Amino acid sequence: QTSDAPGQRGMSLRDYFAAKALAGWISQDAIKRIIEIEKTSVDGAMKVLASGCYALADAMLAERTK
């Protein structure tokens, strides 16, 4: 079970939003840009990108409650 809702299967809405953000940022060469800006490795850039995707997902979820 991976959903946030008890008894439901599949990805949560947070995961869905993060996946959509990831797809958009990858299409814009975000990993390459992060490596250049942060002076980090590919692994480091992927961690930054993943964290950013979930931060954006959290902001989207918070906005839904307004």
Side-chain angles (χ1 to χ4, degrees), residues 2-24:
T2 57
S3 175
D4 293 336
Q8 290 189 352
R9 300 175 61 78
M11 75 171 59
S12 67
L13 185 56
R14 182 176 186 252
D15 292 333
Y16 177 80
F17 285 158
K20 289 295 188 177
L22 179 62

Side-chain angles (χ1 to χ4, degrees), residues 20-31:
K20 289 295 188 177
L22 179 62
W25 285 341
I26 284 177
S27 72
Q28 298 296 316
D29 288 329
I31 291 178

Side-chain angles (χ1 to χ4, degrees), residues 27-53:
S27 72
Q28 298 296 316
D29 288 329
I31 291 178
K32 181 180 176 184
R33 291 180 186 186
I34 292 168
I35 290 169
E36 292 170 358
I37 293 167
E38 299 287 328
K39 307 291 187 226
T40 188
S41 65
V42 172
D43 287 342
M46 288 189 297
K47 289 177 183 176
V48 168
L49 185 56
S51 177
C53 288

